[in-house]
Amino acid sequence: MLSDSHFYFNKAADVLNLADNIRDILLSPRRSIKVNIVIESENNELLHFTGYRVQHNNARGPMKGGLRFHPSMDEDHAGALANLMTWKTAVVDVPFGGAKGGIDCDPHSLSAKDLSLLTRRFVEEIKDVIGPTRDIPAPDVNTNARVMSWIMDEYSKFEGFSPAVVTGKPLHLFGSEGREEATGRGIMNVLAEALKEQNRDFSDISVAVQGFGNVGSHAARLIAEQGARIVAVADHSGGVANPDGLDIAALMEWVAIEKSVKGFAGGTPFNSADIIGWHADVLIPAAMEAAITVENAEQVRAAIIVEGANGPTTPEADEILHKKGVLIIPDILANAGGVTVSYFEWTQNIQQFRWEHQRINDELGKMMRKAYRSVHEISREKGIDMRTAAFVLAIRRVAKAALARVYINTKVPL
Ligand code: GLU
């Protein structure tokens, strides 16, 4: 995974003729932390976990990124995802750097009490290196507003009242309007820009969505509200399809109870793996990384891919998709809505002032559309794909800030 993010970085660094020493400086994480966490469970068992936080870059502001509770979490994963956060915050131009972390665990096998204890022990271990001006965690895979509340509470025990230490908190505990749906809304915003460019409208398109968690479900709902048909949705245990468009509100209600789209009566079932080759105009991979690989890239029939997940396309698959003429709106642009509203939440916490929901949606839409246009402009100017263009934009911004901090006499070579 780390090699994939470095591959995309280097492709853009080649376009910029970036010297090797600058590449090294920009790719090296500022700090990487690995901690042991032992808790005594509700059943009086001793449970042992490993927690990670990789703080990649803080040239443009405090480091920012989610915490993932998943058995695949390790230093390599956290490093790759932290790296992506640095470029993501730069693409949408929010004043943050990049970080990522989490705990190697299966939260579904833990009781709520054990999960709370585990989260609190993790915060105790990393409290000295996070903070409102240092590094601000947020939700990611298998973490949510409830986990963020525990983080805020635990950190505040040591440092005093600190709502700005974490974003993605519940609305009643210094969270922000629109944060939960923000990644999905940002996906809808960038897709709207891509369609506008092609003189198409939401009402002309069909969409297939992989993953129906926080990102996929809200993206599907908001895109359907614009008039598109969501013809297929798949998650870890199965898929449901309806050529006339699935009733997304009803599907969300079903999933809230059943924890999977499987068995939903408003569509016909299919095998999850078939979602990648679904006959639809747009494909949104919004589950885990490496969803589109050399094994299934040829099967893709969509003309547009909007990357809701982080790192869903491997470099080999990316190459195949470009040859097929697929437009890929890359993760560091497409799913940046989440961190953008995290920025609004952090700002509100610091100002101790609440923004109305409409203001959040308007500002988010403005920032996502602007980022899309900036990336598209670079892509057109240089004749490069949207992912490489997004990296070019991000690398320029981060490198300029990073080098301006240290250079005295030398000119910034960008
Ligand atoms: N976990 C989300 C991401 O990958 C949000 C990060 C944040 O809000 O800091 O972008």
Side-chain angles (χ1 to χ4, degrees), residues 6 88 128 163 212 379 393:
H6 285 193
K88 190 187 301 188
D128 293 338
F212 205 67
S379 150
L393 176 66

Side-chain angles (χ1 to χ4, degrees), residues 172-188:
H172 50 266
L173 190 73
F174 308 97
S176 175
E177 295 282 0
R179 175 62 187 86
E180 203 179 291
E181 64 170 41
T183 311
R185 183 171 287 280
I187 288 170
M188 184 271 283

Side-chain angles (χ1 to χ4, degrees), residues 81 97 122 160 240 258 271 276 366 394 397:
L81 294 165
F122 181 52
V240 275
E258 301 296 326
N271 282 335
I276 301 300
K366 247 194 270 174
R397 286 180 174 158

Side-chain angles (χ1 to χ4, degrees), residues 232-235 237-241 260-264 267-272 275:
V233 172
D235 64 19
S237 44
V240 275
S260 165
V261 300
K262 195 177 168 187
F264 177 62
T268 46
F270 64 91
N271 282 335
S272 301
I275 194 76

Side-chain angles (χ1 to χ4, degrees), residues 64-66 85 88 100 136 138-140 167 179 310 335 338-339 342:
K64 188 85 193 78
M85 284 309 303
K88 190 187 301 188
K100 195 77 139 211
I136 305 132
D140 200 85
T167 58
R179 175 62 187 86
N310 289 312
N335 72 32
V339 78
S342 274

